[in-house]
Amino acid sequence: MSLTLDTTARKAEHAQMFIDGGWTAAGAGGSFPTVDPNTGETIAQVPRGDSADVDKAVAAAKRVAVDWQFTDALGRAALLRALAEKVTENADELARLEALDSGHYLAKAQELVGAIPIWLDYFASIADKVGGRTIEVPGNKLSFTLLEPLGVTAHIIPWNYPLLIMVRSTAPALAFGNTVVVKPAEDTSLSALKFAELVKEAGFPDGVFNVVTGYGAEAGAALAAHPDVAGITFTGSTETGKQISKLAADHVAQVTLELGGKSPTVVYPDADLDEAVEVAVQGFCSHTGQVCVAGTRLFVHADVKDEFLGKLTARLDQTKVGDGFADGTQMGPLVSKKQFDRVNSYIELGKSEATLFYGGGRPAGTPEGGYFVEPTVFTDVDNSSRIAKEEIFGPVASVHPWSTEDELVAAVNDSIYGLFAVLLGKDITTLLSTARRLQVGGVMINDWFGELPMTPHGGHKQSGTGRDEGLEAVHNYTQVKHVAINLDPLRAATDWAGAPL
Ligand code: ADP
């Protein structure tokens, strides 16, 4: 049954799973509440899918995998475009669901949903433009490769950007002829279920796209471990990524991981400090710091540190934290009680490891039951302290003054993570020199991160493997078949002694 949202009551109805083109409760009948992080109130009950539900979804996806593979690429692209239109028609409801379930403030959720058709269109456009290659080989032979889909792909989604992260991996998977089973995060399943409704309305065949809701350790682990799943895309914490890799290894599934980060925002002495502050605040406060690329380590050149901190204070004083549905809100709540407790425990730890420079408490005037925290900044932070090393996933930054490029590069690279870096300055030679030396998967110069479907995104070191988005994403959802044709008459059997094998 379709999902309906009552924005005034902040409730959703009929949150069922989507398997083989139909709506269903969990086979074992269980459910769990999903909560509005602005108030702590329940929005809806979500089915608690388990391994039996995963088996059903994977079986459906497997049954139709070959038909979907041989639906021509233009046909698959047309369906993705029809889906993009459906998303546009339903953008308001999708944005409200996303805001209610994940804590994005409404204007941001609207912007995010508005971008979804761009992802669908991009992968629709390249569905028929990627292929294999011909290879020069000795002798009168024709040798070439085919790029073929993997088959059934699993998509295990985090709670910070539920819709966007689901679309950025499922769109290329579908475009290149794979079938899909999505496991949304338990805190934020609703937009995936609404999206599934639109997939059906757009005309995708039953079984090509499935959503199993449930807990990570139950439905998520069962999906990653399923022997008929050929590819797994996971975005989330590094710890969970390692567990999923181990489950995938048992059945040799291909894995794409976009994991944690402790990304630097670097301010050079010649940077425009007003702009630098703006980017730095975006970096660690955007979506209340619950962003994999969050710029939570502020490397500010010693010559401008005091001026930067003065401007940072003034800017943070103006940041409006509150209910995501209230006018003018720029920073909503953390997603869940679990995340609220986790971030607050890091703030307490920071008070013992460093100097609390800004924030650290509950923002004045925010609703009692909601999971709100102030933007928080620590100074006098040792690069080896836990708040400098560990991913907090909240609006918490540490300030690290630096003097030489060598010192800067050594400190930034002294991390298990290597996801992303922002560099803010004017001297292009210095900026590009640092960009080459940092061990990260992406660098943005004089701007905050802007995710796009055409640019590859992913991490070095323990920030992940493989790249979402861009033409690079083709590799996540295809495998190579080599085909060779001998164009000469077959040699006599006695001739085979001359062959290398
Ligand atoms: P968090 O710990 O903050 O919930 P995770 O990175 O663990 O963040 O969660 C991201 C996604 O991974 C969610 O969909 C979650 O259900 C799923 N997940 C969590 N644990 C596992 C697991 N052991 N196996 C498969 N999926 C999991």
Side-chain angles (χ1 to χ4, degrees):
M1 204 179 291
S2 321
L3 192 141
T4 53
L5 168 69
D6 179 340
T7 311
T8 317
R10 294 187 164 203
K11 299 272 178 226
E13 295 287 337
H14 305 305
Q16 292 184 307
M17 295 188 286
F18 186 71
I19 296 179
D20 204 5
W23 296 100
T24 176
S31 67
F32 57 89
T34 189
V35 161
D36 173 359
N38 292 288
T39 60
E41 300 287 322
T42 298
I43 310 165
Q45 290 289 326
V46 175
R48 180 174 168 176
D50 60 16
S51 60
D53 300 298
V54 166
D55 285 348
K56 282 186 203 145
V58 173
K62 186 179 175 186
R63 190 190 74 240
V64 297
V66 172
D67 283 350
W68 182 243
Q69 169 178 359
F70 290 107
T71 301
D72 68 57
L74 289 177
R76 296 195 301 261
L79 285 169
L80 285 168
R81 291 203 175 92
L83 179 57
E85 271 178 38
K86 290 279 167 201
V87 169
T88 303
E89 285 163 18
N90 290 273
D92 186 57
E93 190 175 5
L94 279 169
R96 283 171 190 279
L97 269 177
E98 193 80 324
L100 201 55
D101 208 8
S102 72
H104 279 285
Y105 60 90
L106 186 59
K108 178 56 78 180
Q110 285 163 337
E111 192 184 314
L112 288 166
V113 171
I116 298 297
I118 305 173
W119 264 255
L120 294 167
D121 278 338
Y122 175 77
F123 287 108
S125 303
I126 62 171
D128 63 328
K129 293 179 189 62
V130 295
R133 63 190 177 103
T134 54
I135 306 169
E136 287 299 322
V137 292
N140 189 17
K141 294 179 182 173
L142 193 56
S143 184
F144 59 93
T145 61
L146 298 171
L147 277 192
E148 297 186 341
L150 302 178
V152 179
T153 57
H155 304 256
I156 300 175
I157 311 298
W159 41 259
N160 57 345
Y161 291 84
L163 198 54
L164 181 69
I165 291 177
M166 179 186 64
V167 170
R168 81 180 183 192
S169 73
T170 56
L174 293 166
F176 304 128
N178 301 274
T179 56
V180 160
V181 180
V182 173
K183 210 299 281 173
E186 43 273 55
D187 288 317
T188 57
S189 304
L190 300 182
S191 57
L193 295 170
K194 185 76 203 173
F195 185 80
E197 220 177 288
L198 305 180
V199 168
K200 191 168 175 71
E201 282 178 24
F204 280 78
D206 291 350
V208 166
F209 184 94
N210 307 273
V211 180
V212 178
T213 53
Y215 291 121
E218 295 174 1
L223 185 56
H226 201 294
D228 290 333
V229 167
I232 303 168
T233 301
F234 169 74
T235 304
S237 64
T238 294
E239 278 321 303
T240 303
K242 289 177 188 175
Q243 288 174 29
I244 287 175
S245 280
K246 287 176 190 157
L247 294 171
D250 271 345
H251 56 110
V252 198
Q254 184 170 308
V255 179
T256 303
L257 303 172
E258 206 255 88
L259 306 175
K262 195 74 191 175
S263 298
T265 296
V266 180
V267 181
Y268 291 81
D270 59 355
D272 176 318
L273 291 187
D274 291 314
E275 285 181 9
V277 161
E278 213 44 57
V279 174
V281 170
Q282 282 281 337
F284 77 94
C285 294
S286 193
H287 195 22
T288 321
Q290 303 166 114
V291 184
C292 54
V293 293
T296 48
R297 293 191 291 162
L298 305 178
F299 285 92
V300 185
H301 193 276
D303 289 353
V304 294
K305 187 195 89 175
D306 291 343
E307 195 183 347
F308 175 88
L309 287 180
K311 287 176 185 286
L312 180 66
T313 302
R315 176 63 181 82
L316 291 175
D317 284 347
Q318 290 163 15
T319 304
K320 193 166 172 226
V321 187
D323 185 296
F325 285 80
D327 277 349
T329 294
Q330 296 169 320
M331 199 172 107
L334 293 163
V335 71
S336 62
K337 174 80 168 58
K338 178 180 160 196
Q339 195 56 20
F340 180 71
D341 291 343
R342 176 188 155 88
V343 171
N344 279 310
S345 76
Y346 271 108
I347 291 174
E348 286 312 307
L349 176 68
K351 289 178 188 168
S352 65
E353 286 187 329
T355 304
L356 178 65
F357 173 77
Y358 190 94
R362 189 180 183 86
T366 47
E368 256 312 297
Y371 310 129
F372 296 93
V373 284
E374 283 183 302
T376 299
V377 179
F378 288 100
T379 51
D380 304 316
V381 184
D382 193 292
N383 207 34
S384 63
S385 62
R386 283 184 58 202
I387 59 160
K389 289 253 168 261
E390 297 175 16
E391 185 176 46
I392 298 172
F393 236 56
V396 182
S398 51
V399 178
H400 303 262
W402 61 279
S403 297
T404 67
E405 191 195 14
D406 283 351
E407 187 192 316
L408 167 73
V409 168
V412 169
N413 287 343
D414 180 21
S415 171
I416 60 163
Y417 297 116
L419 190 56
F420 181 68
V422 164
L423 309 182
L424 304 162
K426 291 202 179 70
D427 185 288
I428 192 65
T429 311
T430 307
L431 291 162
L432 290 178
S433 161
T434 310
R436 287 192 68 190
R437 296 175 67 189
L438 296 185
Q439 296 161 347
V440 295
V443 178
M444 184 65 81
I445 297 177
N446 291 333
D447 204 355
W448 165 234
F449 180 69
E451 190 156 357
L452 291 166
M454 59 289 276
T455 50
H457 173 54
H460 291 193
K461 301 198 273 190
Q462 292 191 31
S463 289
T465 174
R467 293 293 175 271
D468 284 318
E469 300 160 331
L471 289 176
E472 285 76 3
V474 172
H475 303 300
N476 303 342
Y477 305 107
T478 56
Q479 55 192 334
V480 173
K481 180 182 280 173
H482 171 231
V483 181
I485 313 162
N486 172 31
L487 300 173
D488 278 341
L490 272 181
R491 287 174 288 175
T494 49
D495 252 12
W496 289 107
L501 278 181

